[in-house]
Amino acid sequence: MKSGFKKILGVVMIICVFWYMIDYIDVKLEGINSKESNVDVNDKDKLVQGKNIDVSTELVLVNRKYGLNKDYRPEALNIPNIPFADGTDNEEKHVAGVIVKPLETLVNTAKEEGIILLGNSAYRSYKSQKNTYSNRVKSEGRELADAYVAKPGFSEHQTGLCMDITNEDRYFMKGTKEADWLGENAYRFGFIIRYPEGKKSITDIEYEPWHIRYVGGKAAKYIYDNGITLEEYLGK
Ligand SMILES: [Zn+2]
């Protein structure tokens, strides 16, 4: 009886050790993968779009795979004539010249239709993204930072073609009249909801009803009508 118990105990212990090892190997592998991706990110020649690529186009793709050179600044950065949420950083009020008019028209039309939209955060330079990212790494570690903050060069906000919108309650979620209006109407002004619901496997970013991206009228309508993402539209 006693030796039977010992045998069972032995088997349980072996299973536990085995289990622990699988976990350990997994963690090791993750470590290697994230290290490799860091190497890639630093290898700017490979991943970051260089001078040869026309980044001024409204269809430029910036995501976790495709990034921007640290020197890239949008053309004709300007502050649109729209209301902003209190405390919006001055740099983040700026947008690329090409979207000033469409954005103003969007916000004004919303107002005419009884919806008050506020600008929240648009352009972010490589440098400020770098600060945000490294502060996050310091406070929460690399893994959490990578889950929530884009690495410098890989934030669409550096293009100046997008803006985070909010409302007076600073609660811009699906089901609020402002977020619903934006989701249904942004395409009329050449914008898309860049990170739609249920598309994380493609965009690698959770649903963000507040983040609109200018792609021009034709692309915006096609993307809206077909319920696809910019990645799918560009075949990437
Ligand atoms: Zn955003």
Side-chain angles (χ1 to χ4, degrees):
M1 190 65 182
K2 246 190 171 176
S3 85
F5 179 71
K6 269 187 186 162
K7 264 185 196 159
I8 291 170
L9 197 68
V11 170
V12 168
M13 276 179 70
I14 287 168
I15 289 171
C16 283
V17 167
F18 188 63
W19 206 257
Y20 174 80
M21 276 182 68
I22 287 178
D23 244 23
Y24 180 75
I25 290 165
D26 247 16
V27 169
K28 276 283 213 204
L29 280 176
E30 264 176 37
I32 290 164
N33 285 342
S34 70
K35 237 191 189 158
E36 275 177 2
S37 70
N38 285 341
V39 170
D40 278 352
V41 165
N42 291 327
D43 192 354
K44 296 196 165 52
D45 291 339
K46 260 193 215 159
L47 268 176
V48 176
Q49 290 165 357
K51 283 177 186 143
N52 314 339
I53 294 165
D54 182 10
V55 283
S56 67
T57 167
E58 56 206 29
L59 288 175
V60 64
L61 181 65
V62 173
N63 58 20
R64 285 185 199 267
K65 268 194 271 172
Y66 299 90
L68 293 168
N69 191 291
K70 73 175 173 20
D71 300 319
Y72 179 71
R73 266 172 70 88
E75 292 277 308
L77 270 178
N78 220 320
I79 299 182
N81 186 18
I82 60 167
F84 285 92
D86 288 346
T88 302
D89 177 90
N90 189 55
E91 178 183 83
E92 294 183 26
K93 286 182 178 174
H94 288 74
V95 296
V98 65
I99 84 163
V100 170
K101 269 264 129 56
L103 187 63
E104 289 173 348
T105 314
L106 180 150
V107 172
N108 288 334
T109 309
K111 197 178 168 193
E112 283 163 21
E113 297 179 12
I115 302 292
I116 304 297
L117 301 178
L118 306 174
N120 197 15
S121 175
Y123 173 64
R124 291 177 211 155
S125 64
Y126 183 95
K127 201 176 149 210
S128 49
Q129 191 67 28
K130 196 175 168 189
N131 288 338
T132 307
Y133 178 75
S134 53
N135 286 339
R136 206 59 180 258
V137 169
K138 266 181 226 153
S139 65
E140 294 176 13
R142 191 169 296 279
E143 208 173 304
L144 270 181
D146 282 341
Y148 294 103
V149 183
K151 289 189 170 73
F154 295 83
S155 166
E156 194 177 65
H157 284 271
Q158 197 188 334
T159 66
L161 295 170
C162 62
M163 180 176 263
D164 295 340
I165 298 286
T166 190
N167 56 13
E168 283 169 332
D169 295 339
R170 305 295 293 264
Y171 180 77
F172 204 86
M173 301 303 278
K174 190 183 173 183
T176 62
K177 62 182 194 294
E178 294 86 3
D180 291 351
W181 186 93
L182 195 62
E184 287 305 310
N185 294 282
Y187 79 93
R188 291 163 57 197
F189 311 92
F191 290 87
I192 56 168
I193 303 296
R194 178 68 177 86
Y195 310 114
E197 197 173 16
K199 295 282 189 178
K200 198 197 164 190
S201 61
I202 296 164
T203 62
D204 215 4
I205 295 191
E206 299 284 354
Y207 175 44
E208 289 193 359
W210 55 83
H211 180 114
I212 55 168
R213 158 69 196 270
Y214 187 73
V215 291
K218 194 177 139 224
K221 183 160 182 353
Y222 188 90
I223 288 169
Y224 173 80
D225 285 345
N226 293 281
I228 58 170
T229 59
L230 183 58
E231 277 83 359
E232 290 164 288
Y233 181 75
L234 297 172
K236 304 255 169 137

